[in-house]
Amino acid sequence: RALAPVEQAIGAWKSAIAARNAYHRTQKQLSNMPAQISSMALPRPKASLVADNVNYFHPGQPEPVLRAVRFTLQPGDLLGIVGPSGSGKTTLARLLLGNLRPRMGSIRLDGMDVSQWDAGDLGPHCGYLPQDVELFPGTVQDNIARLGEPDAELVVKAAKLANCHDMILHFANGYDTQVGDAGTALSGGERQRIALARALYGDPSFVVLDEPNANLDSAGEEALLNALQSLKQQGVTCIVIGHRQGILQIVDKLLVLRGGTVADFGLRSEVVTRLAKMSGKVADTKVSHG
């Protein structure tokens, strides 16, 4: 029994050596990384966006997820992106924000390549609502303020813009309510509305919302539509990825992705008309073959 701890240590020695070697390899890789050069802070973008011949491959995959994607947005445009599952919508959203770098082509915000823009400088000007909403342990206020030093006035302003201020006030401790690990103390709809407020915190000029109404009921979706209308009035460039017709009725432009390529892009009314004509032709073809 006295030797049992020694025997356990010997049994675990191989894992301890492997962990130490992994630590040294990590340190070596980090030391090989080039030092980050601080760049001059750029002014708040007006959020004109140009995607030029964007191609992207997932690591280790031979086929591109996105091929030759091109489109242009003016400041204040509200763009809807639609397409079947696996067409590259979420990947495009991450590229637009500079979270991923394209293999070829570029995405420029006010003329600056977003992948080259300093993240600490660009981040406050952008808002992002991911498809899989994640909240962090802490209060509602902390999550809306993106875990930075919260500005109470800006937190409330973002919550009101996201139309969740009254919902938060009905929580047990209001804005000081703990959301729990990964937001488990809240429902899916509540998490999504708080995440929308987080995306709108700090008056961003460019906002990307990926399936923002996935977990919302009718009241939540109405609140989302009101928020999008407010963003349009403020001149915020906004991109919404979605499938439901309600949210796509208010967009200015529509981009259709199929197989990682742009199948159509333009004013919403024009794209919808072309899609309807195409559906009619497909239906006529099926009838004639039948």
Side-chain angles (χ1 to χ4, degrees), residues 133-152:
V133 174
E134 293 183 358
L135 298 181
F136 299 94
T139 66
V140 172
Q141 176 183 222
D142 293 334
N143 275 275
I144 293 178
R146 306 181 181 183
L147 300 183
E149 186 65 32
D151 183 315

Side-chain angles (χ1 to χ4, degrees), residues 171-240:
F171 290 164
N173 297 306
Y175 283 89
D176 293 320
T177 300
Q178 293 288 331
V179 303
D181 189 14
T184 52
L186 306 175
S187 69
E190 290 170 339
R191 287 197 298 270
Q192 195 140 33
R193 293 173 73 175
I194 290 172
L196 176 61
R198 177 177 62 189
L200 304 180
Y201 177 77
D203 295 325
S205 56
F206 179 47
V207 174
V208 178
L209 309 177
D210 192 352
E211 299 281 0
N213 54 349
N215 297 311
L216 298 181
D217 55 15
S218 58
E221 186 154 358
E222 183 179 355
L224 173 63
L225 294 176
N226 292 334
L228 290 173
Q229 293 284 11
S230 298
L231 291 174
K232 286 180 64 174
Q233 293 171 4
Q234 295 174 22
V236 176
T237 302
C238 190
I239 295 177
V240 181

Side-chain angles (χ1 to χ4, degrees), residues 74-131:
Q74 300 302 320
D77 278 348
L78 176 53
L79 171 70
I81 299 179
V82 297
S85 298
S87 58
K89 300 186 298 296
T90 295
T91 300
L92 178 58
R94 297 178 65 190
L95 285 163
L96 293 173
L97 291 162
N99 295 340
L100 298 175
R101 289 190 177 188
R103 178 76 65 88
M104 294 174 56
S106 64
I107 296 171
R108 297 186 177 276
L109 191 66
D110 283 17
M112 178 65 177
D113 191 325
V114 293
S115 65
Q116 302 296 328
W117 201 321
D118 182 81
D121 181 29
L122 178 61
H125 304 307
C126 297
Y128 179 44
L129 176 62
Q131 187 176 25

